[in-house]
Amino acid sequence: RSSWLLLAPLLTPPVPVITAPPCSLCPEGAHRFQWIRNLVPEFGISSSHVKVLSSPAEFYELLKVQIKTAKQRVVMASLYLGTGLLEQELVDCLEETLEKSLQAKGSSNLRVSILLDYTRGSRGRKNSRTMLIPLLQRFPEQVRVSLFHTPNLRGLLRLLIPERFNETIGLQHIKVYLFDDNVILSGANLSDLYFTNRQDRYVLLQDSPEIADFFTELVDAIGDVSLQLQRDDTVQMMEGMVHPYQGDKMAYCEIANRRVMEVINSARTRQELLHAKTFHSSQEGSSLLSQQGAQASGGLKPEPDTWIYPLIQMKPFGIQIDEMVTETLLTEAERDARIYLTTGYFNLTQAYMDLILGTRAEYRILLASPEVNGFFGAKGVAGAIPAAYVYIEHQFYSEVCYLHQQERVQLQEYSRAGWTFHAKGLWLYLAGSDLPCLTLVGSPNFGYRSVHRDLEAQVAIVTENKALQQQLHQEQEQLYLCSGVVSSSTFEQPNRYVKLWVKLVTPLIKNFF
């Protein structure tokens, strides 16, 4: 318990500073969300390029297939890579693909870039680093392993906080798995649990070169301000780069902000030029017959019916795009709209809670029951974390009841024997619609860590296509089917007893988990 006292210098919760984007929701269809392109690039694609996966096994098999067939690039950003047999199989797939590419051409075009968190990836004697060093040793020209170290863990704090606890200060939490022009957005890490019995979400964007380029550039930018793993298991910064915890913190954060915002703004400019070009060319060939003829001969791509908006949140670098967009979506959702929001760790920021309780839409919030929380049964202080989440959930539920909002705001708990729950995201159903037209999918949990401490990325997928809307609806239904509605009797069960010390400590430490 005393370990938490080491966190005393950071116990004051940060104050969010939000500037709402210039937006007004247009009345017609999915295009009402085009205000998001004021902040980030907008990628228009065909819905046929989007596939929603449903199971950890499907996710794992897809990773292996995509690695084996990659020709130009493999880019993987995750919190960590596990050390078991399934993870070793992924590393073996990478090695096999790199070897084949060398044999085919003598010098390979294939580049592998892996971005992990430094503290989580260095935990224990056998860790993510030791798993990947053989690849670095064998393919030094083709493989890059970057380990992000938060600039907030430095000085005396870094010396005093023990392993595992140091991860509470801030992490690289983005999960993007990219192979040539195919991109998987998920909340899942590269670990055996996430390949077997830990429920998450996974969306594959196929044959989407502009989106793949964007996420490659984003991971490269974070990689450039991260520690580079060497073949002898040491780490070093790129030449001329400010060190994250030894160098000047403000200078480091400014450089990181500039690198990431360059990626976002240059992609936004490229996409705007592309939109303008496409618009003018379609105006010139205005006759429907000429457009159909061009499509038949492969001259034109099908008109996009789905739009992808990458939402980035990196509060340590002063980047709050995901937070701004999420808050605006919650604020602007009209009466009789329905929002399904799910998180593996229910610890909403005060701003998100206030918006849910103070706006007009209906909410169905899915969270982990204590038994399927990833920390359930953990040793030491970590074992009390599920109880802390129960306490936060109870407080929120009490507030819902106090405001007589039980009909409009409903909590549901995911429960599935032998499984844990890590799915996060949002589905938005417009008033009068049985299908969602927007979903958020990626790494953020809508909690304090996601907003204030970690590096996060997700995408807003907006679609007019009924078949894709149906896919997203089925994904939502499948998750919510394994849940029960929370009522006052839920908190009277013996397994919901929260010890006094947990109640006292939770308000102090809630912005660390």
Side-chain angles (χ1 to χ4, degrees):
R1 222 175 294 179
S2 60
S3 302
W4 290 109
L5 300 176
L6 298 173
L7 305 181
L10 292 163
L11 286 179
T12 310
V15 180
V17 181
I18 297 296
T19 310
C23 79
S24 59
L25 297 188
C26 310
E28 74 281 355
H31 286 288
R32 65 171 56 206
F33 303 105
Q34 283 190 331
W35 56 266
I36 304 175
R37 73 179 181 195
N38 295 331
L39 297 166
V40 296
E42 175 187 72
F43 301 100
I45 63 171
S46 166
S47 56
S48 61
H49 292 195
V50 184
K51 186 184 179 194
V52 180
L53 312 182
S54 60
S55 74
E58 194 181 359
F59 170 58
Y60 181 60
E61 290 307 317
L62 181 63
L63 286 176
K64 288 194 293 181
V65 168
Q66 290 290 317
I67 289 171
K68 286 175 181 176
T69 54
K71 298 288 185 286
Q72 271 82 43
R73 59 183 167 190
V74 172
V75 178
M76 300 202 288
S78 189
L79 174 61
Y80 69 106
L81 170 70
T83 57
L85 294 173
L86 295 180
E87 298 92 328
Q88 186 58 55
E89 201 175 328
L90 279 186
V91 176
D92 292 345
C93 286
L94 283 168
E95 185 176 5
E96 188 184 314
T97 304
L98 284 160
E99 184 61 53
K100 270 186 197 167
S101 72
L102 270 181
Q103 286 172 356
K105 294 182 181 172
S107 65
S108 172
N109 292 329
L110 180 65
R111 293 288 176 270
V112 174
S113 176
I114 299 171
L115 171 67
L116 305 172
D117 182 72
Y118 175 89
T119 51
R120 183 64 183 86
S122 304
R123 188 202 284 183
R125 186 166 287 180
K126 189 180 181 186
N127 53 40
S128 306
R129 291 161 66 162
T130 58
M131 291 288 286
L132 292 168
I133 281 169
L135 286 184
L136 277 173
Q137 290 172 338
R138 190 151 176 219
F139 307 98
E141 301 303 313
Q142 293 160 264
V143 177
R144 178 192 197 192
V145 179
S146 306
L147 301 167
F148 174 79
H149 191 295
T150 177
N152 292 328
L153 182 64
R154 54 176 48 232
L156 197 58
L157 198 65
R158 190 174 188 274
L159 291 172
L160 290 176
I161 299 188
E163 201 173 73
R164 292 176 72 95
F165 289 99
N166 58 9
E167 296 165 29
T168 61
I169 306 304
L171 296 166
Q172 191 310 106
H173 200 247
I174 295 167
K175 289 82 186 272
V176 174
Y177 307 110
L178 189 159
F179 314 91
D180 292 341
D181 292 338
N182 300 328
V183 184
I184 303 170
L185 273 302
S186 182
N189 292 303
L190 295 172
S191 168
D192 55 4
L193 290 173
Y194 296 89
F195 305 149
T196 51
N197 62 346
R198 190 152 169 72
Q199 183 62 58
D200 215 299
R201 296 181 67 208
Y202 336 83
V203 172
L204 169 64
L205 307 175
Q206 294 171 292
D207 191 22
S208 303
E210 291 95 352
I211 300 171
D213 288 347
F214 173 83
F215 280 107
T216 298
E217 289 169 21
L218 180 69
V219 171
D220 280 348
I222 303 164
D224 288 349
V225 298
S226 299
L227 295 153
Q228 305 301 305
L229 183 63
Q230 305 299 304
R231 285 177 277 180
D232 60 355
D233 198 18
T234 60
V235 292
Q236 62 185 47
M237 290 301 289
M238 284 173 57
E239 200 174 330
M241 188 59 67
V242 177
H243 199 282
Y245 62 85
Q246 291 173 353
D248 181 79
K249 182 180 173 182
M250 192 176 288
Y252 173 81
C253 291
E254 280 175 8
I255 290 167
N257 173 288
R258 195 158 61 244
R259 282 290 286 113
V260 172
M261 289 310 298
E262 271 170 13
V263 172
I264 294 169
N265 291 330
S266 65
R268 207 172 135 237
T269 304
R270 279 200 307 269
Q271 290 308 111
E272 281 172 357
L273 289 170
L274 189 65
H275 287 308
K277 196 174 167 185
T278 308
F279 175 76
H280 290 309
S281 64
S282 67
Q283 292 288 92
E284 286 160 20
S286 55
S287 117
L288 185 62
L289 285 171
S290 67
Q291 279 200 28
Q292 286 174 340
Q295 280 190 15
S297 62
L300 273 180
K301 283 185 177 179
E303 282 292 304
D305 58 7
T306 299
W307 294 268
I308 309 294
Y309 301 94
L311 308 179
I312 312 303
Q313 183 75 10
M314 299 179 180
K315 194 68 164 283
F317 306 155
I319 298 170
Q320 301 169 241
I321 296 168
D322 181 60
E323 181 184 8
M324 291 163 69
V325 171
T326 303
E327 289 198 359
T328 306
L329 289 172
L330 299 183
T331 302
E332 298 290 344
E334 73 268 40
R335 188 181 302 280
D336 297 327
R338 284 173 295 138
I339 291 179
Y340 288 78
L341 186 151
T342 176
T343 172
Y345 304 111
F346 184 73
N347 184 20
L348 300 177
T349 64
Q350 193 61 50
Y352 290 164
M353 282 196 286
D354 290 345
L355 285 169
I356 289 167
L357 293 172
T359 50
R360 300 154 293 180
E362 290 179 20
Y363 285 86
R364 300 290 177 266
I365 302 173
L366 181 62
L367 50 122
S369 66
E371 296 76 21
V372 299
N373 185 296
F375 290 97
F376 186 73
K379 293 175 183 175
V381 175
I385 290 176
Y389 283 117
V390 168
Y391 182 57
I392 292 166
E393 178 191 350
H394 194 181
Q395 284 186 309
F396 181 76
Y397 180 77
S398 300
E399 186 73 9
V400 169
C401 294
Y402 175 75
L403 297 169
H404 306 291
Q405 300 285 327
Q406 300 96 307
E407 290 298 309
R408 192 179 65 80
V409 180
Q410 194 174 92
L411 293 179
Q412 294 176 231
E413 286 187 353
Y414 186 94
S415 186
R416 188 176 178 185
W419 283 63
T420 54
F421 183 70
H422 197 248
K424 67 271 300 224
L426 177 154
W427 298 259
L428 174 59
Y429 294 68
L430 297 178
S433 176
D434 293 330
L435 298 173
C437 64
L438 175 146
T439 191
L440 301 182
V441 59
S443 64
N445 276 297
F446 306 103
Y448 277 88
R449 287 196 63 87
S450 292
V451 172
H452 298 294
R453 300 197 169 277
D454 297 343
L455 306 192
E456 304 279 11
Q458 63 181 340
V459 291
I461 302 175
V462 178
T463 185
E464 294 177 332
N465 180 271
K466 293 292 182 223
L468 179 53
Q469 289 180 354
Q470 190 66 47
Q471 267 196 80
L472 295 169
H473 176 66
Q474 284 170 353
E475 178 200 30
Q476 178 270 113
E477 279 197 322
Q478 191 178 337
L479 289 171
Y480 279 70
L481 272 174
C482 298
S483 71
V485 176
V486 171
S487 67
S488 52
S489 62
T490 303
F491 302 101
E492 292 164 10
Q493 296 168 21
N495 66 340
R496 300 309 170 98
Y497 173 72
V498 180
K499 293 175 181 175
L500 178 62
W501 75 266
V502 175
K503 291 180 181 178
L504 294 173
V505 169
T506 298
L508 298 174
I509 62 167
K510 68 185 289 186
N511 72 318
F512 290 93
F513 60 87

